[in-house]
């Protein structure tokens, strides 16, 4: 599998060495697409994919994702971004370029349950995720072996109500040391503080084991069983200061019946959680998500 990962990664970096993406958000108005296309054209870029959406053509908010090829982009990107600034100011636009040959660096936080962690690691090792995983952080020592067997450092940092500020400071220092771009909570059973979240605004992806907004918080499977639900689900979202209320990225469900007990619901739920979290991570890696208020635009 290591050989497969390396081969797929080398192929990806070669194929997309001159590929980039542009995400924009601004007030809807005539001429947006034309002005963006003009700048890219003047720099010799070829647009290979373009998606756009407006909340309302008359005064709404406009969103766009553009993927383009630009030969020798490593040398030209500084000039491209500089020439794009006047348009950004003119249209009062939020904009961001990302370059596919610069792999995103993902940190994973986990507690004791291993199903989401192992699925993410498998997708990474098999070459399905084009990213780097420089470290895994846990508040329990239990999952050290499967992580370190892949050559990924595993940091055990106990967290309790008395040491939480110190523990989070240690975590943030590690994220800074490893130059982490975003964090994935793979069933990390701790609530992050507002101070932690502000360092990675809209860059912390969580998996919640229910179909939000139903059953926010703890023990959702037990509460779903008590309520006699006919579907169960999982929700991946960006973390905010409000518990399980952040912008939703991806969701999944499966029908269940009165014959399912709590353990049955949990067993089925683990499969949904793995799939939903993996899809959310993939969307983030591919720059397909724009956060708008407490919602997401997903291209």
């Amino acid at each position: 599998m290591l050989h497969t990962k390396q081969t797929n990664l080398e192929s990806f970096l070669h194929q997309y060495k001159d590929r980039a993406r542009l995400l924009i958000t601004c007030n809807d108005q005539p001429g947006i697409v034309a002005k963006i296309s003009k700048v890219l054209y003047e720099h010799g870029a070829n647009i290979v994919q373009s998606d756009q959406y407006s909340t309302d053509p008359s005064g709404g908010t406009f969103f766009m994702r553009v993927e383009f090829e630009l030969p020798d982009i490593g040398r030209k990107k500084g000039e491209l971004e500089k020439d794009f600034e006047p348009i950004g100011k003119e249209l009062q636009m939020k904009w961001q370029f990302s370059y596919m040959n610069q792999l995103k660096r993902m940190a994973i936080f986990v507690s004791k349950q291993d199903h989401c962690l192992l699925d993410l690691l498998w997708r990474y090792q098999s070459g399905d995720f084009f990213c780097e995983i420089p470290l895994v952080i846990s508040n329990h020592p239990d999952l050290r072996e499967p992580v370190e067997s892949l050559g990924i450092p595993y940091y055990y940092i106990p967290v309790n109500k008395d040491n939480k500020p110190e523990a989070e400071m240690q975590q943030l220092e590690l994220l800074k040391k490893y130059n982490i771009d975003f964090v994935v909570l793979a069933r990390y059973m701790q609530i992050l503080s507002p101070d932690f979240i502000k360092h990675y605004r809209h860059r912390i992806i969580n998996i919640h084991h229910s179909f939000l907004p139903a059953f926010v918080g703890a023990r959702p499977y037990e509460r779903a069983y008590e309520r006699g639900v006919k579907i169960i689900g999982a929700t991946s979202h960006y973390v905010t200061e409000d518990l399980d209320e952040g912008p939703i990225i991806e969701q999944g469900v499966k029908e269940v019946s009165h014959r399912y007990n709590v353990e049955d619901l949990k067993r089925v739920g683990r499969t949904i959680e793995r799939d939903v979290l993996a899809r959310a991570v993939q969307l983030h890696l591919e720059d397909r998500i724009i956060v708008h208020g407490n919602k997401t635009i997903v291209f």
Side-chain angles (χ1 to χ4, degrees):
M1 188 174 289
L2 286 172
H3 176 71
T4 300
K5 169 181 173 290
Q6 188 62 30
T7 301
N8 288 353
L9 182 58
E10 290 175 357
S11 176
F12 174 85
L13 292 174
H14 176 74
Q15 182 177 356
Y16 297 111
K17 61 183 174 62
D18 292 323
R19 183 75 62 93
R21 301 166 181 142
L22 170 63
L23 297 179
I24 71 163
T25 303
C26 65
N27 293 328
D28 202 353
Q29 56 197 287
I32 299 172
V33 175
K35 290 176 180 179
I36 292 171
S37 301
K38 183 173 183 290
V39 172
L40 294 176
Y41 169 76
E42 289 174 345
H43 282 267
N46 179 37
I47 295 175
V48 296
Q49 186 176 357
S50 180
D51 296 285
Q52 61 196 66
Y53 168 71
S54 176
T55 59
D56 186 343
S58 302
T61 304
F62 179 83
F63 308 90
M64 190 173 186
R65 177 187 184 272
V66 181
E67 195 165 304
F68 61 92
E69 288 271 350
L70 177 58
D72 197 16
I73 197 169
R75 183 177 60 84
K76 298 177 181 177
K77 63 183 181 181
E79 183 179 354
L80 174 63
E81 294 183 14
K82 180 180 178 182
D83 289 349
F84 199 83
E85 288 179 1
I87 293 179
K89 291 179 180 178
E90 176 189 351
L91 300 178
Q92 296 182 318
M93 178 190 300
K94 294 180 182 178
W95 54 278
Q96 173 188 330
F97 283 99
S98 66
Y99 303 95
M100 292 174 62
N101 63 356
Q102 297 178 359
L103 298 178
K104 291 181 174 62
R105 297 171 64 81
M106 173 174 75
I108 301 176
F109 281 38
V110 67
S111 289
K112 287 187 175 182
Q113 297 192 45
D114 64 0
H115 57 288
C116 287
L117 168 71
L118 296 181
D119 184 72
L120 294 175
L121 293 177
W122 182 86
R123 293 173 191 268
Y124 169 69
Q125 288 298 117
S126 65
D128 289 350
F129 284 162
F130 295 112
C131 66
E132 296 178 359
I133 304 180
L135 79 164
V136 171
I137 295 176
S138 179
N139 57 327
H140 294 279
D142 305 53
L143 299 175
R144 180 183 298 276
E145 192 279 328
V147 173
E148 292 187 340
S149 69
L150 300 177
I152 300 173
Y154 184 92
Y155 290 90
Y156 165 45
I157 303 176
V159 182
N160 57 57
K161 63 180 181 179
D162 298 320
N163 78 335
K164 189 166 187 174
E166 293 78 10
E168 287 195 341
M169 184 177 299
Q170 187 177 351
Q171 293 167 345
L172 286 169
E173 288 173 353
L174 285 169
L175 298 182
K176 182 179 180 180
K177 173 184 175 182
Y178 283 95
N179 194 26
I180 294 300
D181 294 306
F182 72 108
V183 176
V184 177
L185 307 182
R187 293 303 302 272
Y188 180 65
M189 309 307 289
Q190 292 288 324
I191 297 175
L192 300 177
S193 72
D195 184 64
F196 186 102
I197 293 169
K198 74 179 182 182
H199 288 86
Y200 286 87
R201 178 72 56 186
H202 299 150
R203 291 188 292 151
I204 305 173
I205 299 174
N206 183 45
I207 182 67
H208 181 69
H209 40 311
S210 80
F211 190 74
L212 294 174
F215 308 124
V216 172
R219 304 180 69 249
Y221 289 123
E222 287 82 356
R223 291 153 62 203
Y225 174 76
E226 292 165 2
R227 188 66 181 84
V229 302
K230 298 301 181 268
I231 62 169
I232 61 169
T235 302
S236 189
H237 63 93
Y238 287 120
V239 174
T240 64
E241 291 81 359
D242 298 317
L243 180 64
D244 297 330
E245 297 284 348
I248 292 172
I249 303 170
E250 184 63 84
Q251 294 182 289
V253 296
K254 189 180 188 310
E255 292 183 355
V256 295
S257 78
H258 59 275
R259 293 183 174 87
Y260 286 67
N261 59 32
V262 173
E263 290 306 312
D264 292 330
L265 297 182
K266 290 181 178 180
R267 173 179 49 80
V268 174
R270 284 193 290 269
T271 298
I272 308 173
E273 293 166 30
R274 290 195 300 264
D275 291 343
V276 169
L277 181 58
R279 294 201 300 269
V281 170
Q282 190 70 63
L283 289 168
H284 187 90
L285 289 172
E286 295 179 358
D287 302 298
R288 294 188 178 277
I289 309 166
I290 299 177
V291 176
H292 177 53
N294 202 43
K295 297 181 180 181
T296 59
I297 309 299
V298 181
F299 289 114

